[in-house]
């Protein structure tokens, strides 16, 4: 009744164009953007948060800082908007997906820091389960995922085994679980709503991919019982209202994981449409419709989106652990440049990589290998090699990893890709996008508005409150934003394949380097 009444009020006639807020909580920063009905950005505010690294290969975030920054970003963007605060009719949330938080039901306080999606501390747990179950793919038919350090239940298992406060909270029945969206929703609604959506729930290994409900068998196999799990809902419905602050009373009407959000933001609503997001990592998704396609080539089977009571739309996903964070590593650890965008000009100083190959497995390799023991590997260095060659090899390495995922996607789906839609920070690198087209042998097209992730959660919230009637209207609105930029491949098939075969040999070296 609450949801129906709320939608009815929001659908009442209005004289001004409605606005939608998008809370985009990412790996390195939080942003709040305000969109109008034509998906133009009117205001935004962004804040970075601390990257906590207690040990090599570990990465944590402070859950309280994520909430505080979210509130500050909302206030900053709304204040910069001016007098149109009351035109904001809904808020959508998108987030880093697998990052895991446990908190106390009575106090609302975190029981430990958030363990980030790329954190690699759980390698031994993965190997133990793999040996016990006989294969990393033993649970794929149930959850669509391989056993990996990447996913939430494995992180929860580590917390149970290693954090006394967590074990005690479970024994007392007061341990609550959530991905970042659940944690933010819980806090923004004044600790009244404990819920998540199908896309985020699917990244935990605890949700049944066929039913989109929590699966008792999976939880028992992985040893993560006794924890209060959030209610799984669709991506587009009213979850609750902002309890406090400058937008008090505004409904939170859409939640969707960041990579699925980017797929929606690129208007990939038809079967076979695909996008690649170049962010901290790199994530390629292809829409498979309402059909669940179980990958046989190292990809992930995942919900793409679910709008209200409509059937769940699924996708195949190829996840790459290291992309933009590799550029940050060159900047922060090696001091190659002061600002990340400078890598384009530096890489352009070299006509090619000079024989240098960089496998950027700084957090292991995800799809299609799923080797958490792989290590970043630079090969082919000579006295001739310089920073420009290494920078170009870095960009080329991300392009090669994208080709690996795309080839697996073609094998699983049986359909070749006509072109690749791209977004994310690294997609602004024109040199890299040409390299990507040359590596793939298909055109690469960058959206006119590269902010596809925040746009995706905006769309989910807008559909829930009637700003758009359906995905066809959304697709038309996205197309109305103008044409993107295209890059056609400039290499021959023989050239591409010869270079790619050398890359494949380098990947094998990244496995060997960690055991010698």
């Amino acid at each position: 009744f609450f949801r129906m009444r709320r939608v009815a009020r929001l659908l009442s006639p209005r004289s001004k164009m409605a606005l939608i807020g998008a809370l985009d909580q990412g790996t390195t920063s939080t942003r709040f953007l305000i969109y109008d009905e034509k998906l133009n950005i009117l205001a935004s505010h962004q804040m970075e948060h601390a990257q906590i690294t207690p040990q090599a290969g570990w990465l944590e975030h402070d859950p309280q800082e994520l909430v505080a920054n979210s509130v500050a970003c909302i206030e900053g963007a709304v204040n910069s908007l001016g007098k149109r605060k009351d035109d904001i009719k809904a808020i959508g949330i998108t987030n880093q997906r697998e990052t895991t938080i446990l908190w106390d039901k009575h106090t609302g306080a975190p029981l430990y820091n958030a363990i980030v999606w790329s954190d690699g501390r759980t390698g031994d747990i993965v190997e133990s389960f793999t040996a016990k179950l006989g294969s990393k793919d033993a649970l794929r038919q149930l959850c669509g995922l391989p056993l990996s350090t990447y996913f939430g239940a494995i992180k929860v298992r580590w917390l149970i085994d290693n954090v006394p406060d967590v074990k005690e909270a479970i024994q007392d029945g007061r341990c609550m679980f959530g991905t970042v969206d659940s944690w933010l929703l819980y806090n923004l609604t004044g600790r009244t709503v404990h819920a998540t959506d199908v896309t985020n729930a699917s990244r935990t290994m605890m949700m049944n991919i066929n039913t989109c409900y929590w699966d008792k068998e999976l939880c028992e196999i992985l040893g993560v019982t006794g924890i209060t799990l959030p209610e799984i809902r669709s991506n587009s419905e009213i979850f609750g209202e902002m309890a406090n602050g400058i937008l008090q009373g505004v409904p939170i009407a859409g939640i969707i994981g960041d990579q699925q959000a980017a797929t929606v933001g690129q208007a990939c609503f038809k079967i076979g449409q695909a996008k690649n997001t170049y962010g901290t990592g790199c994530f390629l998704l292809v829409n498979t419709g309402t059909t669940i396609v179980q990958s046989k080539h190292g990809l992930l089977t995942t919900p793409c989106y679910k709008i209200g009571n409509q059937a769940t739309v699924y996708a195949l996903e190829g996840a790459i652990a290291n992309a933009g964070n590799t550029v940050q590593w060159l900047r922060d650890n090696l001091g190659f440049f002061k600002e990340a965008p400078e890598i384009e000009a530096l890489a352009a100083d070299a006509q090619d990589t000079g024989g240098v190959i960089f496998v950027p497995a700084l957090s292991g390799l995800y799809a299609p290998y799923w080797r958490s023991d792989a290590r970043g590997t630079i090969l082919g260095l000579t006295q001739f090699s310089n920073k420009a060659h290494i920078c170009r090899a870095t960009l080329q390495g991300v392009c090669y990893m994208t080709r690996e995922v795309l080839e697996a996607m073609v094998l699983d789906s049986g359909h070749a890709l006509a072109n690749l839609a791209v977004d994310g920070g690294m997609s602004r690198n024109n040199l890299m996008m040409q390299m990507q087209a040359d590596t793939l042998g298909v055109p690469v097209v960058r959206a006119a508005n590269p902010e596809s992730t925040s746009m995706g959660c905006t769309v989910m919230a807008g559909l829930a409150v009637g700003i758009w009637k359906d995905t066809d209207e959304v697709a038309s609105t996205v197309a109305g934003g103008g044409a993107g930029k295209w890059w056609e491949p400039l290499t021959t098939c023989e050239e591409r394949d010869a270079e790619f075969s050398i890359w494949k040999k380098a990947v094998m070296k990244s496995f060997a380097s960690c055991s010698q």
Side-chain angles (χ1 to χ4, degrees), residues 170-196:
I170 292 173
Q171 292 171 348
D172 294 344
R174 52 184 172 82
C175 182
M176 300 181 75
F177 163 84
T179 42
V180 172
D181 61 298
S182 295
W183 170 247
L184 294 179
L185 178 68
Y186 179 75
N187 282 277
L188 294 176
T189 59
R191 300 179 181 174
T192 62
V193 181
H194 185 211
T196 187

PDB file of all heavy atoms in Angstrom, residues 170-196:
ATOM      1  N   ILE A 170      27.162 -13.462  15.610  1.00  0.00           N
ATOM      2  CA  ILE A 170      26.375 -14.538  15.007  1.00  0.00           C
ATOM      3  C   ILE A 170      25.756 -15.407  16.096  1.00  0.00           C
ATOM      4  O   ILE A 170      24.571 -15.770  16.035  1.00  0.00           O
ATOM      5  CB  ILE A 170      27.252 -15.369  14.049  1.00  0.00           C
ATOM      6  CG1 ILE A 170      27.632 -14.532  12.833  1.00  0.00           C
ATOM      7  CG2 ILE A 170      26.521 -16.643  13.609  1.00  0.00           C
ATOM      8  CD1 ILE A 170      28.625 -15.213  11.908  1.00  0.00           C
ATOM      9  N   GLN A 171      26.534 -15.715  17.093  1.00  0.00           N
ATOM     10  CA  GLN A 171      26.021 -16.536  18.204  1.00  0.00           C
ATOM     11  C   GLN A 171      24.869 -15.846  18.929  1.00  0.00           C
ATOM     12  O   GLN A 171      23.922 -16.500  19.388  1.00  0.00           O
ATOM     13  CB  GLN A 171      27.161 -16.837  19.180  1.00  0.00           C
ATOM     14  CG  GLN A 171      28.234 -17.767  18.613  1.00  0.00           C
ATOM     15  CD  GLN A 171      29.455 -17.883  19.512  1.00  0.00           C
ATOM     16  OE1 GLN A 171      29.628 -17.115  20.457  1.00  0.00           O
ATOM     17  NE2 GLN A 171      30.323 -18.850  19.216  1.00  0.00           N
ATOM     18  N   ASP A 172      24.930 -14.510  18.991  1.00  0.00           N
ATOM     19  CA  ASP A 172      23.891 -13.736  19.679  1.00  0.00           C
ATOM     20  C   ASP A 172      22.716 -13.387  18.767  1.00  0.00           C
ATOM     21  O   ASP A 172      21.747 -12.749  19.219  1.00  0.00           O
ATOM     22  CB  ASP A 172      24.483 -12.437  20.234  1.00  0.00           C
ATOM     23  CG  ASP A 172      25.503 -12.680  21.335  1.00  0.00           C
ATOM     24  OD1 ASP A 172      25.525 -13.803  21.877  1.00  0.00           O
ATOM     25  OD2 ASP A 172      26.283 -11.755  21.631  1.00  0.00           O
ATOM     26  N   GLY A 173      22.801 -13.747  17.482  1.00  0.00           N
ATOM     27  CA  GLY A 173      21.729 -13.452  16.541  1.00  0.00           C
ATOM     28  C   GLY A 173      21.617 -11.996  16.161  1.00  0.00           C
ATOM     29  O   GLY A 173      20.527 -11.517  15.824  1.00  0.00           O
ATOM     30  N   ARG A 174      22.726 -11.254  16.185  1.00  0.00           N
ATOM     31  CA  ARG A 174      22.673  -9.826  15.886  1.00  0.00           C
ATOM     32  C   ARG A 174      23.607  -9.414  14.749  1.00  0.00           C
ATOM     33  O   ARG A 174      23.894  -8.227  14.576  1.00  0.00           O
ATOM     34  CB  ARG A 174      23.000  -9.009  17.135  1.00  0.00           C
ATOM     35  CG  ARG A 174      24.288  -9.391  17.829  1.00  0.00           C
ATOM     36  CD  ARG A 174      24.511  -8.613  19.127  1.00  0.00           C
ATOM     37  NE  ARG A 174      25.643  -9.124  19.871  1.00  0.00           N
ATOM     38  CZ  ARG A 174      26.927  -8.789  19.612  1.00  0.00           C
ATOM     39  NH1 ARG A 174      27.194  -7.934  18.656  1.00  0.00           N
ATOM     40  NH2 ARG A 174      27.894  -9.308  20.351  1.00  0.00           N
ATOM     41  N   CYS A 175      24.053 -10.377  13.925  1.00  0.00           N
ATOM     42  CA  CYS A 175      24.959 -10.067  12.813  1.00  0.00           C
ATOM     43  C   CYS A 175      24.153  -9.858  11.532  1.00  0.00           C
ATOM     44  O   CYS A 175      23.451 -10.750  11.065  1.00  0.00           O
ATOM     45  CB  CYS A 175      25.962 -11.201  12.620  1.00  0.00           C
ATOM     46  SG  CYS A 175      27.159 -10.887  11.298  1.00  0.00           S
ATOM     47  N   MET A 176      24.269  -8.670  10.975  1.00  0.00           N
ATOM     48  CA  MET A 176      23.582  -8.323   9.730  1.00  0.00           C
ATOM     49  C   MET A 176      24.595  -8.242   8.600  1.00  0.00           C
ATOM     50  O   MET A 176      25.717  -7.753   8.784  1.00  0.00           O
ATOM     51  CB  MET A 176      22.837  -7.003   9.870  1.00  0.00           C
ATOM     52  CG  MET A 176      21.787  -7.009  10.962  1.00  0.00           C
ATOM     53  SD  MET A 176      20.879  -5.451  11.103  1.00  0.00           S
ATOM     54  CE  MET A 176      19.799  -5.543   9.673  1.00  0.00           C
ATOM     55  N   PHE A 177      24.188  -8.709   7.433  1.00  0.00           N
ATOM     56  CA  PHE A 177      25.061  -8.723   6.248  1.00  0.00           C
ATOM     57  C   PHE A 177      24.515  -7.786   5.181  1.00  0.00           C
ATOM     58  O   PHE A 177      23.303  -7.646   5.013  1.00  0.00           O
ATOM     59  CB  PHE A 177      25.137 -10.133   5.666  1.00  0.00           C
ATOM     60  CG  PHE A 177      25.663 -10.172   4.246  1.00  0.00           C
ATOM     61  CD1 PHE A 177      27.027 -10.186   4.003  1.00  0.00           C
ATOM     62  CD2 PHE A 177      24.793 -10.182   3.164  1.00  0.00           C
ATOM     63  CE1 PHE A 177      27.514 -10.205   2.695  1.00  0.00           C
ATOM     64  CE2 PHE A 177      25.267 -10.208   1.854  1.00  0.00           C
ATOM     65  CZ  PHE A 177      26.634 -10.216   1.626  1.00  0.00           C
ATOM     66  N   GLY A 178      25.437  -7.191   4.445  1.00  0.00           N
ATOM     67  CA  GLY A 178      25.012  -6.421   3.277  1.00  0.00           C
ATOM     68  C   GLY A 178      26.173  -6.088   2.370  1.00  0.00           C
ATOM     69  O   GLY A 178      27.320  -5.995   2.806  1.00  0.00           O
ATOM     70  N   THR A 179      25.874  -5.947   1.092  1.00  0.00           N
ATOM     71  CA  THR A 179      26.797  -5.294   0.185  1.00  0.00           C
ATOM     72  C   THR A 179      26.657  -3.789   0.413  1.00  0.00           C
ATOM     73  O   THR A 179      25.825  -3.339   1.213  1.00  0.00           O
ATOM     74  CB  THR A 179      26.484  -5.699  -1.264  1.00  0.00           C
ATOM     75  OG1 THR A 179      25.060  -5.712  -1.458  1.00  0.00           O
ATOM     76  CG2 THR A 179      27.029  -7.089  -1.565  1.00  0.00           C
ATOM     77  N   VAL A 180      27.434  -2.983  -0.291  1.00  0.00           N
ATOM     78  CA  VAL A 180      27.467  -1.549   0.021  1.00  0.00           C
ATOM     79  C   VAL A 180      26.097  -0.898  -0.159  1.00  0.00           C
ATOM     80  O   VAL A 180      25.718  -0.010   0.615  1.00  0.00           O
ATOM     81  CB  VAL A 180      28.535  -0.843  -0.844  1.00  0.00           C
ATOM     82  CG1 VAL A 180      28.447   0.666  -0.686  1.00  0.00           C
ATOM     83  CG2 VAL A 180      29.931  -1.328  -0.450  1.00  0.00           C
ATOM     84  N   ASP A 181      25.332  -1.350  -1.150  1.00  0.00           N
ATOM     85  CA  ASP A 181      23.999  -0.769  -1.350  1.00  0.00           C
ATOM     86  C   ASP A 181      23.122  -0.980  -0.128  1.00  0.00           C
ATOM     87  O   ASP A 181      22.396  -0.073   0.311  1.00  0.00           O
ATOM     88  CB  ASP A 181      23.342  -1.385  -2.585  1.00  0.00           C
ATOM     89  CG  ASP A 181      23.165  -2.889  -2.450  1.00  0.00           C
ATOM     90  OD1 ASP A 181      24.181  -3.598  -2.326  1.00  0.00           O
ATOM     91  OD2 ASP A 181      22.017  -3.370  -2.464  1.00  0.00           O
ATOM     92  N   SER A 182      23.158  -2.204   0.441  1.00  0.00           N
ATOM     93  CA  SER A 182      22.353  -2.504   1.627  1.00  0.00           C
ATOM     94  C   SER A 182      22.757  -1.629   2.811  1.00  0.00           C
ATOM     95  O   SER A 182      21.907  -1.135   3.559  1.00  0.00           O
ATOM     96  CB  SER A 182      22.517  -3.974   2.029  1.00  0.00           C
ATOM     97  OG  SER A 182      22.016  -4.823   1.044  1.00  0.00           O
ATOM     98  N   TRP A 183      24.060  -1.482   2.979  1.00  0.00           N
ATOM     99  CA  TRP A 183      24.584  -0.672   4.080  1.00  0.00           C
ATOM    100  C   TRP A 183      24.146   0.784   3.946  1.00  0.00           C
ATOM    101  O   TRP A 183      23.693   1.401   4.922  1.00  0.00           O
ATOM    102  CB  TRP A 183      26.102  -0.790   4.110  1.00  0.00           C
ATOM    103  CG  TRP A 183      26.822   0.146   5.019  1.00  0.00           C
ATOM    104  CD1 TRP A 183      27.645   1.159   4.660  1.00  0.00           C
ATOM    105  CD2 TRP A 183      26.792   0.156   6.459  1.00  0.00           C
ATOM    106  NE1 TRP A 183      28.139   1.810   5.770  1.00  0.00           N
ATOM    107  CE2 TRP A 183      27.637   1.213   6.893  1.00  0.00           C
ATOM    108  CE3 TRP A 183      26.147  -0.617   7.414  1.00  0.00           C
ATOM    109  CZ2 TRP A 183      27.844   1.499   8.229  1.00  0.00           C
ATOM    110  CZ3 TRP A 183      26.344  -0.319   8.761  1.00  0.00           C
ATOM    111  CH2 TRP A 183      27.183   0.715   9.153  1.00  0.00           C
ATOM    112  N   LEU A 184      24.240   1.332   2.746  1.00  0.00           N
ATOM    113  CA  LEU A 184      23.824   2.719   2.540  1.00  0.00           C
ATOM    114  C   LEU A 184      22.313   2.868   2.723  1.00  0.00           C
ATOM    115  O   LEU A 184      21.849   3.810   3.370  1.00  0.00           O
ATOM    116  CB  LEU A 184      24.241   3.192   1.142  1.00  0.00           C
ATOM    117  CG  LEU A 184      25.741   3.303   0.885  1.00  0.00           C
ATOM    118  CD1 LEU A 184      26.004   3.754  -0.545  1.00  0.00           C
ATOM    119  CD2 LEU A 184      26.415   4.253   1.873  1.00  0.00           C
ATOM    120  N   LEU A 185      21.548   1.949   2.143  1.00  0.00           N
ATOM    121  CA  LEU A 185      20.091   2.006   2.283  1.00  0.00           C
ATOM    122  C   LEU A 185      19.676   1.940   3.744  1.00  0.00           C
ATOM    123  O   LEU A 185      18.814   2.700   4.196  1.00  0.00           O
ATOM    124  CB  LEU A 185      19.463   0.849   1.495  1.00  0.00           C
ATOM    125  CG  LEU A 185      17.936   0.733   1.562  1.00  0.00           C
ATOM    126  CD1 LEU A 185      17.277   1.902   0.840  1.00  0.00           C
ATOM    127  CD2 LEU A 185      17.481  -0.601   0.967  1.00  0.00           C
ATOM    128  N   TYR A 186      20.286   1.047   4.489  1.00  0.00           N
ATOM    129  CA  TYR A 186      19.994   0.871   5.912  1.00  0.00           C
ATOM    130  C   TYR A 186      20.216   2.171   6.672  1.00  0.00           C
ATOM    131  O   TYR A 186      19.392   2.588   7.506  1.00  0.00           O
ATOM    132  CB  TYR A 186      20.881  -0.243   6.461  1.00  0.00           C
ATOM    133  CG  TYR A 186      20.740  -0.544   7.927  1.00  0.00           C
ATOM    134  CD1 TYR A 186      19.640  -1.238   8.417  1.00  0.00           C
ATOM    135  CD2 TYR A 186      21.735  -0.163   8.831  1.00  0.00           C
ATOM    136  CE1 TYR A 186      19.527  -1.534   9.777  1.00  0.00           C
ATOM    137  CE2 TYR A 186      21.628  -0.452  10.183  1.00  0.00           C
ATOM    138  CZ  TYR A 186      20.523  -1.141  10.654  1.00  0.00           C
ATOM    139  OH  TYR A 186      20.418  -1.430  11.991  1.00  0.00           O
ATOM    140  N   ASN A 187      21.304   2.848   6.382  1.00  0.00           N
ATOM    141  CA  ASN A 187      21.639   4.084   7.092  1.00  0.00           C
ATOM    142  C   ASN A 187      20.842   5.279   6.586  1.00  0.00           C
ATOM    143  O   ASN A 187      20.399   6.120   7.385  1.00  0.00           O
ATOM    144  CB  ASN A 187      23.135   4.352   6.977  1.00  0.00           C
ATOM    145  CG  ASN A 187      23.953   3.486   7.915  1.00  0.00           C
ATOM    146  OD1 ASN A 187      24.120   3.805   9.083  1.00  0.00           O
ATOM    147  ND2 ASN A 187      24.451   2.365   7.412  1.00  0.00           N
ATOM    148  N   LEU A 188      20.643   5.390   5.295  1.00  0.00           N
ATOM    149  CA  LEU A 188      19.924   6.544   4.749  1.00  0.00           C
ATOM    150  C   LEU A 188      18.442   6.522   5.116  1.00  0.00           C
ATOM    151  O   LEU A 188      17.800   7.573   5.168  1.00  0.00           O
ATOM    152  CB  LEU A 188      20.094   6.602   3.231  1.00  0.00           C
ATOM    153  CG  LEU A 188      21.517   6.880   2.727  1.00  0.00           C
ATOM    154  CD1 LEU A 188      21.559   6.819   1.210  1.00  0.00           C
ATOM    155  CD2 LEU A 188      22.035   8.228   3.222  1.00  0.00           C
ATOM    156  N   THR A 189      17.895   5.330   5.365  1.00  0.00           N
ATOM    157  CA  THR A 189      16.490   5.231   5.780  1.00  0.00           C
ATOM    158  C   THR A 189      16.342   5.214   7.300  1.00  0.00           C
ATOM    159  O   THR A 189      15.287   4.844   7.819  1.00  0.00           O
ATOM    160  CB  THR A 189      15.842   3.967   5.191  1.00  0.00           C
ATOM    161  OG1 THR A 189      16.571   2.810   5.636  1.00  0.00           O
ATOM    162  CG2 THR A 189      15.818   4.016   3.672  1.00  0.00           C
ATOM    163  N   GLY A 190      17.384   5.605   7.999  1.00  0.00           N
ATOM    164  CA  GLY A 190      17.309   5.647   9.463  1.00  0.00           C
ATOM    165  C   GLY A 190      17.279   4.272  10.092  1.00  0.00           C
ATOM    166  O   GLY A 190      16.609   4.066  11.116  1.00  0.00           O
ATOM    167  N   ARG A 191      18.000   3.334   9.476  1.00  0.00           N
ATOM    168  CA  ARG A 191      18.096   1.948   9.958  1.00  0.00           C
ATOM    169  C   ARG A 191      16.739   1.238   9.993  1.00  0.00           C
ATOM    170  O   ARG A 191      16.478   0.405  10.856  1.00  0.00           O
ATOM    171  CB  ARG A 191      18.749   1.907  11.349  1.00  0.00           C
ATOM    172  CG  ARG A 191      20.163   2.470  11.381  1.00  0.00           C
ATOM    173  CD  ARG A 191      20.744   2.426  12.783  1.00  0.00           C
ATOM    174  NE  ARG A 191      22.096   2.991  12.803  1.00  0.00           N
ATOM    175  CZ  ARG A 191      22.798   3.182  13.916  1.00  0.00           C
ATOM    176  NH1 ARG A 191      22.284   2.849  15.093  1.00  0.00           N
ATOM    177  NH2 ARG A 191      24.015   3.695  13.858  1.00  0.00           N
ATOM    178  N   THR A 192      15.888   1.573   9.024  1.00  0.00           N
ATOM    179  CA  THR A 192      14.556   0.959   8.982  1.00  0.00           C
ATOM    180  C   THR A 192      14.410  -0.054   7.851  1.00  0.00           C
ATOM    181  O   THR A 192      13.486  -0.872   7.904  1.00  0.00           O
ATOM    182  CB  THR A 192      13.469   2.032   8.817  1.00  0.00           C
ATOM    183  OG1 THR A 192      13.657   2.724   7.576  1.00  0.00           O
ATOM    184  CG2 THR A 192      13.492   3.018   9.982  1.00  0.00           C
ATOM    185  N   VAL A 193      15.278   0.000   6.836  1.00  0.00           N
ATOM    186  CA  VAL A 193      15.124  -0.884   5.677  1.00  0.00           C
ATOM    187  C   VAL A 193      16.411  -1.683   5.470  1.00  0.00           C
ATOM    188  O   VAL A 193      17.491  -1.104   5.292  1.00  0.00           O
ATOM    189  CB  VAL A 193      14.807  -0.090   4.389  1.00  0.00           C
ATOM    190  CG1 VAL A 193      14.627  -1.053   3.207  1.00  0.00           C
ATOM    191  CG2 VAL A 193      13.555   0.761   4.581  1.00  0.00           C
ATOM    192  N   HIS A 194      16.279  -3.000   5.526  1.00  0.00           N
ATOM    193  CA  HIS A 194      17.409  -3.894   5.271  1.00  0.00           C
ATOM    194  C   HIS A 194      17.071  -4.691   4.006  1.00  0.00           C
ATOM    195  O   HIS A 194      16.376  -5.709   4.065  1.00  0.00           O
ATOM    196  CB  HIS A 194      17.641  -4.829   6.459  1.00  0.00           C
ATOM    197  CG  HIS A 194      18.855  -5.691   6.329  1.00  0.00           C
ATOM    198  ND1 HIS A 194      18.930  -6.958   6.878  1.00  0.00           N
ATOM    199  CD2 HIS A 194      20.054  -5.472   5.716  1.00  0.00           C
ATOM    200  CE1 HIS A 194      20.115  -7.479   6.614  1.00  0.00           C
ATOM    201  NE2 HIS A 194      20.808  -6.593   5.902  1.00  0.00           N
ATOM    202  N   ALA A 195      17.530  -4.202   2.878  1.00  0.00           N
ATOM    203  CA  ALA A 195      17.172  -4.798   1.592  1.00  0.00           C
ATOM    204  C   ALA A 195      18.324  -4.633   0.611  1.00  0.00           C
ATOM    205  O   ALA A 195      19.253  -3.847   0.827  1.00  0.00           O
ATOM    206  CB  ALA A 195      15.899  -4.156   1.034  1.00  0.00           C
ATOM    207  N   THR A 196      18.258  -5.399  -0.480  1.00  0.00           N
ATOM    208  CA  THR A 196      19.206  -5.291  -1.572  1.00  0.00           C
ATOM    209  C   THR A 196      18.439  -5.563  -2.859  1.00  0.00           C
ATOM    210  O   THR A 196      17.214  -5.691  -2.857  1.00  0.00           O
ATOM    211  CB  THR A 196      20.388  -6.261  -1.392  1.00  0.00           C
ATOM    212  OG1 THR A 196      21.374  -6.002  -2.394  1.00  0.00           O
ATOM    213  CG2 THR A 196      19.939  -7.709  -1.495  1.00  0.00           C
TER     214      THR A 196
END
